[in-house]
């Protein structure tokens, strides 16, 4: 499940926003007993993460690697 992993998806979408990346992302679901349900749940989770990810660098951080 995407919402139980160690990857911070809000940070991923933040990095994509900073890089002005747009378009599709692709993920694969392996070894789940009900993959269709997992995919639907994962898409909803990713939509939530994308919606709250900042569009730009914000205070207190204004640049990377200060």
């Amino acid at each position: 499940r995407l919402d139980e992993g160690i990857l911070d998806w809000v940070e991923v979408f933040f990095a994509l926003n900073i890089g002005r990346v747009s378009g599709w992302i692709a993920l694969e679901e392996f070894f789940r007993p009900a993959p269709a349900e997992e995919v639907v749940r994962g898409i909803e989770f990713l939509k939530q993460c994308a919606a709250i990810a900042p569009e730009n660098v914000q205070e207190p951080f204004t640049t990377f690697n200060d």
Side-chain angles (χ1 to χ4, degrees), residues 8-29:
D8 185 340
W9 284 100
V10 174
E11 288 292 323
V12 170
F13 283 104
F14 171 60
L16 293 172
N17 289 340
I18 294 299
R20 302 292 186 246
V21 177
S22 63
W24 294 84
I25 61 170
L27 304 169
E28 293 186 38
E29 177 63 51

Side-chain angles (χ1 to χ4, degrees), residues 5-61:
I6 60 171
L7 189 59
D8 185 340
W9 284 100
V10 174
E11 288 292 323
V12 170
F13 283 104
F14 171 60
L16 293 172
N17 289 340
I18 294 299
R20 302 292 186 246
V21 177
S22 63
W24 294 84
I25 61 170
L27 304 169
E28 293 186 38
E29 177 63 51
F30 295 106
F31 310 112
R32 294 287 183 177
E37 293 172 15
E38 242 357 89
V39 169
V40 169
R41 184 180 300 132
I43 290 170
E44 288 306 313
F45 173 74
L46 291 175
K47 285 180 180 180
Q48 291 171 2
C49 292
I52 62 173
E55 293 288 325
N56 298 300
V57 179
Q58 300 172 352
E59 292 292 338
F61 307 105

